[in-house]
Amino acid sequence: MTDQVGKAWWQIKTMKEENRATVEQIGERGGPSQHYFVLLVLSTLIASYGLISDSSATVIGAMIVAPLMGPILGLGLALVSGNTRLFYRSLTASFLGSGLVILTGLLVAGIVGPDNIDYAVRELAGRTRPTLYDLAIGLAAGLAGAYCSVHPRLQASVAGVAVAVALMPPLAVTGLTLAGALTGRVAFISVLGSFMLFLVNFLTIEMAAAVVFLMARVGKIQSLVGEKSFLRHIGVQVALLIATSVFLTKQLNVLIRERQFERTIHAVIETELGRIPGANLDGLQVTLSGDRHHLEILAVASSRKEIQPAEVREIENKINTGLHQQSESAEASLVVRAVNSAYVSPIGFLYLPPDSPPDPRRVRLQKLETALREGLEMYPGMELESFRELPAGPDRTTHLLVTVITPYPAEPRLVSEYQDLVNQKLSAQTDGHDPVTMTVRSLIMRSANATRNVEFSSPEMGTTEERIQENFEQQVLGRLEAMVVLESGARLIESHLREVNDFTGPQRPDSHLSRKLVIHAVVEAPQLLDYSKVIDWEDQLSQEFSYQDTRVVVVLTVENRVGTTLRKPKKD
């Protein structure tokens, strides 16, 4: 019967034959070879393109091909067995392999072009800022790889994937970010971060493998303590591990501080964007700068309208106020990337995606906007540009500042009518609605096509009597223009009409006369008009526009300009 090795509780029970097989296998796979370098290049190509395309599945698939488990387990076995030849063979394979992976990643970046690589994607950015969590990952990967190696019946390939996942992507990211740093696309700290991630995983996997081999009695530490080479190698590795652990601890502290600040920043930005109709926070990136006190904030916001610098400045000030409560030295600078976006329903715009829980304030803003847009349908050419609530007064009435794009000014009478329409529509939407008052800001817009200006007439805002009077005056002036045109070569350049109640003088009417129209007209004609022609026009207008018991007297003054309008003759 085969003897078992390891009887203490902390020892891994294995067979002597299994230990011999383990040493032989690792010795064969621990050094550099043609197959090792070929598979390394191929796996790096797959991993690099997977990182660039932000495909986790592709990156993991590349790890199945990566042959990194052999050399690193060879280093761990060499440490506990005192095999100097295996140590240097495995160290050479690890060193040359790491350089080859970085160069391959750099080559891929050069082929794709650093300007075409988004270095902010999760698969890339996540491997440029290592923390102590990554040290734990490397430790677990090393334990898994070595444990499967001392038990040949277990699937060593699975453990190989675990080891490769901890080593290959950071090295590939180092090559990709190095190309970006050389072209100014990313900072060199990203290159250092990804390489430090590889280094800490490399050291922890190697140390974990050495511990597993000792537990399996593949090597004996008692016989190695006195050897200077062993102590030197262990000392170098421990020093490197301590140095990387210090770096990772600082990185973790930075990450924790960023997360603490991020919660405050997220709450402030969400609250302030909620005050902008149609704006939502879609993404947030908070980065502590080198002095560890200045935060650079990039907020991605979807909004139906442009977010103005003044609004960003106001949000930034409120963020700094909140941060000072956590740390007096913290200071933030905010950049908002606004993406034009809108959720549209058949009845209007939505301030929240359909699957979001209802927010009473935003639902109210939605109803306000729907009423404002529907009210503007009564006025041709007018469009709602934006609106916002002004601070409520003592009466707690809702005051709105409404900005409209319009081809004509919004006169007070129009605003009053528009305000009444909006309140009617709000009352129809909800019960118990508080009335709103509005201040309308007009952005005058002129429209034109390829041949002419597109004119919009201002809506009739007067009373019924005023509208009847205006139509009557237009009819009188239109009739005057028709009579002038009948004269050969004459045309009406302009005319003005006003109604007066003064019936004194030579034009004093009889008892039935009640209206007097005074008209001033400018007429261009080839020759001077006879005074009798003006009297004829005056009499005709008076007769045509008198009605029932009301007679109209027209007093017509004509400014006669002698001249003709010359036009280029049409071609036959």
Side-chain angles (χ1 to χ4, degrees):
M1 184 167 179
T2 307
D3 294 334
Q4 285 188 340
V5 178
K7 297 181 181 180
W9 64 268
W10 55 269
Q11 292 178 344
I12 300 174
K13 292 180 172 56
T14 57
M15 304 296 182
K16 289 183 179 180
E17 289 78 3
E18 290 179 338
N19 286 353
R20 283 195 292 269
T22 298
V23 172
E24 291 177 3
Q25 272 190 344
I26 294 178
E28 291 176 0
R29 295 185 299 166
S33 66
Q34 181 181 359
H35 300 300
Y36 172 74
F37 292 118
V38 170
L39 290 177
L40 209 54
V41 170
L42 293 176
S43 62
T44 306
L45 290 173
I46 298 171
S48 297
Y49 285 109
L51 290 165
I52 293 172
S53 61
D54 199 27
S55 172
S56 301
T58 304
V59 174
I60 294 173
M63 302 307 97
I64 299 174
V65 184
L68 292 173
M69 185 175 175
I72 198 166
L73 292 183
L75 285 171
L77 178 60
L79 282 176
V80 298
S81 64
N83 190 333
T84 305
R85 182 174 178 275
L86 176 60
F87 178 83
Y88 285 110
R89 286 182 69 244
S90 299
L91 186 63
T92 302
S94 299
F95 181 79
L96 294 178
S98 300
L100 185 61
V101 172
I102 294 175
L103 289 176
T104 305
L106 186 63
L107 177 63
V108 171
I111 294 173
V112 174
D115 292 339
N116 299 321
I117 299 175
D118 183 3
Y119 288 98
V121 297
R122 180 173 52 86
E123 286 292 332
L124 271 170
R127 291 181 170 89
T128 58
R129 303 184 67 190
T131 67
L132 280 176
Y133 301 142
D134 297 292
L135 188 147
I137 294 172
L139 184 61
L143 292 173
Y147 188 81
C148 289
S149 296
V150 297
H151 290 88
R153 288 171 292 181
L154 297 178
Q155 273 292 351
S157 61
V158 175
V161 173
V163 171
V165 165
L167 297 177
M168 174 65 75
L171 274 180
V173 170
T174 301
L176 295 173
T177 53
L178 180 59
L182 292 175
T183 56
R185 292 273 297 160
V186 295
F188 273 98
I189 189 65
S190 298
V191 184
L192 176 62
S194 59
F195 184 76
M196 290 296 287
L197 176 58
F198 157 75
L199 184 59
V200 72
N201 284 337
F202 181 90
L203 294 173
T204 51
I205 291 172
E206 179 189 351
M207 299 296 286
V211 170
V212 171
F213 291 140
L214 283 175
M215 294 172 66
R217 304 287 295 237
V218 175
K220 294 183 180 181
I221 195 167
Q222 293 90 344
S223 61
L224 298 173
V225 171
E227 294 189 12
K228 293 182 179 180
S229 61
F230 173 79
L231 294 177
R232 184 171 60 251
H233 295 153
I234 289 293
V236 171
Q237 305 237 8
V238 170
L240 286 173
L241 191 59
I242 291 174
T244 54
S245 297
V246 171
F247 176 82
L248 296 181
T249 302
K250 290 183 177 180
Q251 289 287 94
L252 182 60
N253 289 334
V254 171
L255 179 63
I256 292 173
R257 290 191 67 196
E258 285 181 358
R259 296 285 170 81
Q260 291 173 343
F261 289 139
E262 186 174 341
R263 285 192 289 270
T264 300
I265 294 167
H266 190 279
V268 172
I269 294 179
E270 269 208 332
T271 301
E272 294 306 312
L273 285 180
R275 304 182 190 279
I276 302 175
N280 292 286
L281 179 62
D282 292 339
L284 182 64
Q285 180 181 331
V286 179
T287 306
L288 271 172
S289 64
D291 58 8
R292 300 293 186 253
H293 296 294
H294 185 77
L295 292 101
E296 296 177 355
I297 307 168
L298 173 62
V300 181
S302 58
S303 177
R304 292 211 319 273
K305 74 177 191 69
E306 292 184 3
I307 297 178
Q308 301 300 321
E311 294 169 318
V312 176
R313 190 181 308 114
E314 183 178 352
I315 297 174
E316 183 181 271
N317 292 337
K318 293 191 176 181
I319 288 173
N320 282 315
T321 301
L323 291 177
H324 290 163
Q325 296 175 358
Q326 293 181 256
S327 173
E328 293 184 0
S329 59
E331 206 61 43
S333 59
L334 173 65
V335 174
V336 176
R337 186 172 70 189
V339 180
N340 290 335
S341 175
Y343 291 89
V344 187
S345 71
I347 61 171
F349 291 97
L350 302 177
Y351 290 134
L352 291 174
D355 56 349
S356 297
D359 181 346
R361 184 179 180 280
R362 295 199 171 193
V363 170
R364 180 171 169 275
L365 287 174
Q366 180 184 329
K367 291 179 179 179
L368 278 173
E369 180 167 1
T370 300
L372 289 169
R373 290 189 182 278
E374 289 180 352
L376 282 180
E377 292 176 0
M378 303 293 295
Y379 307 101
M382 295 184 76
E383 299 176 12
L384 179 66
E385 197 275 336
S386 65
F387 76 96
R388 65 184 178 91
E389 290 187 80
L390 300 174
D395 57 353
R396 303 191 64 81
T397 304
T398 300
H399 299 277
L400 300 179
L401 175 60
V402 182
T403 303
V404 296
I405 300 173
T406 172
Y408 42 80
E411 302 293 344
R413 190 174 292 177
L414 185 149
V415 174
S416 177
E417 184 179 282
Y418 179 39
Q419 180 176 289
D420 292 340
L421 281 171
V422 169
N423 280 309
Q424 290 174 15
K425 294 183 179 299
L426 288 173
S427 298
Q429 290 181 17
T430 56
D431 296 331
H433 167 74
D434 294 328
V436 300
T437 59
M438 297 191 305
T439 299
V440 176
R441 180 168 54 188
S442 302
L443 301 179
I444 305 299
M445 173 192 66
R446 300 297 183 189
S447 301
N449 56 29
T451 58
R452 64 182 180 86
N453 291 326
V454 179
E455 301 292 344
F456 289 90
S457 300
S458 178
E460 306 288 349
M461 296 306 303
T463 62
T464 302
E465 292 76 9
E466 290 173 337
R467 294 175 183 175
I468 293 174
Q469 173 66 16
E470 187 173 348
N471 290 335
F472 174 74
E473 292 175 358
Q474 291 176 353
Q475 291 175 9
V476 173
L477 295 178
R479 180 65 182 124
L480 173 62
E481 182 176 15
M483 290 188 293
V484 171
V485 171
L486 292 176
E487 293 297 316
S488 176
R491 69 186 184 95
L492 183 65
I493 297 177
E494 61 178 290
S495 59
H496 305 280
L497 182 151
R498 63 188 177 91
E499 186 170 350
V500 299
N501 294 322
D502 180 15
F503 290 102
T504 59
Q507 297 293 336
R508 186 176 181 84
D510 56 25
S511 59
H512 293 94
L513 189 62
S514 61
R515 304 187 68 175
K516 180 179 179 180
L517 305 180
V518 178
I519 303 175
H520 177 79
V522 180
V523 177
E524 180 187 80
Q527 57 201 14
L528 287 175
L529 298 174
D530 190 86
Y531 180 68
S532 60
K533 178 58 64 178
V534 177
I535 295 176
D536 289 342
W537 290 343
E538 194 176 72
D539 291 342
Q540 289 183 44
L541 291 173
S542 298
Q543 292 174 11
E544 289 184 17
F545 289 97
S546 296
Y547 52 94
Q548 296 180 356
D549 295 335
T550 302
R551 294 182 58 198
V552 174
V553 169
V554 176
V555 178
L556 177 61
T557 303
V558 174
E559 180 182 334
N560 189 190
R561 297 179 183 177
V562 177
T564 58
T565 301
L566 300 178
R567 294 184 177 87
K568 182 179 179 180
K570 294 182 180 180
K571 295 182 179 180
D572 296 334

